[in-house]
Amino acid sequence: MTRSDLGAYLRARRAQVTPDEAGLPSTGYRRVPGLRREEVASLAGVSVDYYIRLEQGRERSPSAQVIDALAAALRLGEDGRQHLFRLAGLSPRARTAPASDRVDPSLLQLMDAWPHNPAIVYNRAYDVLASNAIADALFDDWSHSRNLMHIVFTDPAARAFYRDWHDVARNSVAGFRLGYGEAPDDPRVRQVLTELLERSPEFADLWARHDARGKALERKRFHHRQVGALTLTMQSFAVRSSPGQELVVYHAEPTSASSEALILLGSLAATSRQRT
């Protein structure tokens, strides 16, 4: 990454913070939707000229203290803060080869032992490297793509499948941005990025926001063509044995309609496999 990446991130995040959120008066005409440069500089305790040089890429050695102050001024979460440090060259990142696409056999066995919990393993490029039977059924046997970003942004059925598509899209891009920051030279990550920028204006707009955050505990609402509506809780785990891989497991509240729908989906998946 270059200093222009740092400047672009600062500009994008500055535009997302309102004066009210920063505890500043918001009276009078404002040419920009978020904070002015001088406001960020004041909040971070640096000169306006110095901050402008950072945004323009002319300042090449910001201190950790300055970056920390800017993260606070821009109200960044922990993922965003770490991303800012990486862009400033202050967070060490080991040089690694592209993450392995091989999923540990013991993890595959564990996933197969969850007949009613869709589980997938994906890499930084959001390629699904492994999935259990009920995840295959949930995602329609990956008929469109085995890349989650492609499903969200290029599958015509995605807006019906993801009942909160806009939230899913925003969170997906933020997670993809975080993975890109960790491995910007990974050829597969760059390939997916190029494809999405060319094929999806919605992705391009969200990418320009420079949101960066990892997945966390959250609920997702789906509409499956065979079993109808499901509300599932998603848990995400880094695969420590294979850096760059992430395990996601979905589950439904016990005795809920979504739980019954998952049981039905599992039965359909089992029947389908028996026929093949």
Side-chain angles (χ1 to χ4, degrees):
M1 286 178 285
T2 67
R3 295 298 170 185
S4 62
D5 293 315
L6 173 61
Y9 186 60
L10 290 172
R11 289 192 297 274
R13 299 320 305 161
R14 174 166 61 86
Q16 303 302 317
V17 182
T18 67
D20 286 343
E21 290 172 332
L24 298 172
S26 56
T27 56
Y29 171 75
R30 301 185 66 87
R31 188 172 56 86
V32 294
L35 297 180
R36 301 183 178 103
R37 286 171 169 173
E38 57 268 26
E39 290 171 334
V40 176
S42 176
L43 289 169
V46 299
S47 72
V48 177
D49 178 67
Y50 182 85
Y51 179 75
I52 290 174
R53 295 203 307 272
L54 280 173
E55 279 203 359
Q56 293 177 343
R58 293 186 290 118
E59 173 55 53
R60 299 186 175 276
S61 56
S63 68
Q65 291 84 354
V66 166
I67 294 302
D68 215 16
L70 287 171
L74 296 171
R75 304 180 66 83
L76 299 180
E78 184 57 27
D79 287 336
R81 178 178 174 276
Q82 290 296 325
H83 186 65
L84 180 62
F85 267 81
R86 277 195 294 270
L87 291 174
L90 294 171
S91 180
R93 174 169 50 86
R95 293 183 178 181
T96 59
S100 171
D101 286 347
R102 178 182 178 274
V103 179
D104 190 287
S106 61
L107 179 55
L108 294 175
Q109 292 175 0
L110 178 63
M111 293 165 62
D112 286 339
W114 297 328
H116 302 307
N117 296 97
I120 62 174
V121 175
Y122 65 95
N123 60 15
R124 291 190 182 103
Y126 278 51
D127 293 318
V128 176
L129 307 177
S131 52
N132 61 7
I134 193 169
D136 293 340
L138 177 63
F139 286 90
D140 197 25
D141 288 317
W142 313 102
S143 56
H144 178 75
S145 173
R146 285 190 69 89
N147 181 277
L148 295 171
M149 299 299 292
H150 284 165
I151 291 172
V152 172
F153 288 99
T154 68
D155 186 351
R159 292 172 189 263
F161 177 60
Y162 294 108
R163 294 162 63 194
D164 302 301
W165 182 86
H166 291 285
D167 292 336
V168 171
R170 186 173 63 252
N171 290 336
S172 296
V173 175
F176 189 81
R177 166 78 69 177
L178 198 64
Y180 171 76
E182 293 171 350
D185 298 323
D186 186 307
R188 177 56 180 161
V189 172
R190 297 185 69 86
Q191 179 186 2
V192 172
L193 174 60
T194 300
E195 291 169 351
L196 292 170
L197 287 172
E198 291 176 349
R199 298 173 61 184
S200 173
E202 294 94 341
F203 175 86
D205 288 343
L206 289 169
W207 186 252
R209 289 173 55 91
H210 287 260
D211 291 332
R213 60 180 175 275
K215 289 185 179 294
L217 174 65
E218 61 177 296
R219 282 185 171 83
K220 278 191 177 180
R221 301 195 308 154
F222 301 92
H223 188 276
H224 191 272
R225 61 185 179 85
Q226 291 179 291
V227 301
L230 302 101
T231 299
L232 305 178
T233 298
M234 184 188 80
Q235 298 271 7
S236 181
F237 309 90
V239 180
R240 297 290 295 275
S241 61
S242 298
Q245 292 184 9
E246 196 155 334
L247 167 68
V248 172
V249 184
Y250 297 92
H251 75 275
E253 289 293 328
T255 72
S256 66
S258 293
S259 177
E260 293 175 1
L262 270 186
I263 292 172
L264 175 58
L265 188 61
S267 298
L268 293 172
T271 302
S272 176
R273 288 207 165 188
Q274 289 173 1
R275 289 174 179 170
T276 58

